[in-house]
Amino acid sequence: MNTPNESNKKIQNNSCLFCFFQGKKLVEINIFRNFAFDMLELNEVQLEGSSHAYSMMALEEQITCLTVPGGALHQTPVRWLFAMLGLEPVRHGFISIDGEPLSVRSASAIRKLMSYVPYRLDDVGEISVYHAPTAGDVFALKANRKAGKRSLQEEERQTGAVGQQARLLATAVMLNRPVLLVDRPSALSMSYLRRQANAGRTVIVASNDAAVIAASDNVVEIHNS
């Protein structure tokens, strides 16, 4: 896979979609045996209270960054990550995973394909709709049972983050799901997220950090989050 740079970065802006092709690969995630995940798609999606609609495709083995041009570091379009989780009302358009539309009926099942990493757990309103996975959830997975607490601590060190951010990111990754959604990752975590993408995950981040944007394969500019 090519290293991201200005020549190969795809900018998706104001519902204009610049598509490219990639050889499909069967990805087998431990807890989703034989599940082949290729793409998360937004098709002319407009959220409640937003005046813009956006289209994008996030592919496996790539990092897609949602950003607010000129926005402060804390003004990320996290609502769009919630929309992908089925936790934010969609006024128009649809979200799908490999062609399976996200709906009230399918949202619970589709969320089991995703791990979400909040910036922190005390964001206003966030804790009311999202409950972070615990270490117990991680070790409930058969693949992690023999690893014990030590493996979680080792995973935290690999993230490049510190404190609560490291624990949240490591826990989400150890759930071993094919889609990883991350709000405001540290620039120091991008090499770790690149390894997750290289392992077959679809990584979607929300960030206005220039270093995070530069390390991403695709950028979606959200002008009204």
Side-chain angles (χ1 to χ4, degrees):
M1 180 177 177
N2 296 329
T3 301
N5 54 46
E6 291 303 317
S7 64
N8 66 13
K9 192 181 300 295
K10 311 298 185 298
I11 303 292
Q12 301 171 28
N13 182 10
N14 279 337
S15 299
C16 295
L17 183 62
F18 296 84
C19 303
F20 58 99
F21 295 93
Q22 178 186 47
K24 290 188 176 181
K25 174 186 175 183
L26 177 67
V27 177
E28 294 189 3
I29 303 298
N30 288 345
I31 59 173
F32 297 104
R33 190 174 0 175
N34 299 323
F35 178 81
F37 178 86
D38 291 310
M39 178 177 64
L40 185 150
E41 180 181 8
L42 272 65
N43 191 310
E44 291 295 316
V45 172
Q46 182 179 3
L47 300 185
E48 291 290 345
S50 174
S51 58
H52 291 72
Y54 295 91
S55 295
M56 61 164 274
M57 290 191 300
L59 303 181
E60 63 173 352
E61 299 185 348
Q62 296 197 350
I63 300 175
T64 298
C65 180
L66 310 182
T67 188
V68 177
L73 291 178
H74 67 280
Q75 293 176 322
T76 61
V78 66
R79 289 180 64 205
W80 291 84
L81 299 185
F82 281 138
M84 295 172 194
L85 289 162
L87 299 173
E88 182 76 25
V90 172
R91 180 179 177 184
H92 176 77
F94 66 88
I95 300 171
S96 65
I97 290 186
D98 278 359
E100 177 67 30
L102 176 66
S103 65
V104 173
R105 297 182 64 180
S106 67
S108 179
I110 287 179
R111 274 197 293 272
K112 293 179 181 179
L113 303 175
M114 303 179 180
S115 289
Y116 167 64
V117 185
Y119 177 66
R120 59 176 182 264
L121 290 181
D122 58 350
D123 279 352
V124 175
E126 190 164 286
I127 194 65
S128 65
V129 294
Y130 172 74
H131 298 284
T134 66
D137 295 325
V138 168
F139 299 128
L141 300 182
K142 186 176 180 180
N144 295 330
R145 285 176 191 166
K146 295 181 179 179
K149 183 177 179 181
R150 182 180 175 184
S151 68
L152 179 57
Q153 293 172 337
E154 291 173 351
E155 194 74 26
E156 288 179 33
R157 285 193 289 270
Q158 293 180 33
T159 66
V162 296
Q164 187 183 72
Q165 282 186 311
R167 171 60 63 92
L168 290 168
L169 182 53
T171 302
V173 166
M174 289 185 72
L175 288 176
N176 212 14
R177 296 176 177 177
V179 183
L180 184 62
L181 309 176
V182 188
D183 182 30
R184 285 172 281 176
S186 165
L188 297 176
S189 294
M190 292 309 292
S191 60
Y192 178 75
L193 292 177
R194 173 60 58 192
R195 293 198 295 274
Q196 305 313 311
N198 289 344
R201 288 186 172 91
T202 298
V203 180
I204 303 173
V205 303
S207 178
N208 296 330
D209 187 322
V212 172
I213 294 170
S216 301
D217 299 293
N218 309 291
V219 177
V220 182
E221 295 181 344
I222 304 294
H223 291 270
N224 186 332
S225 60

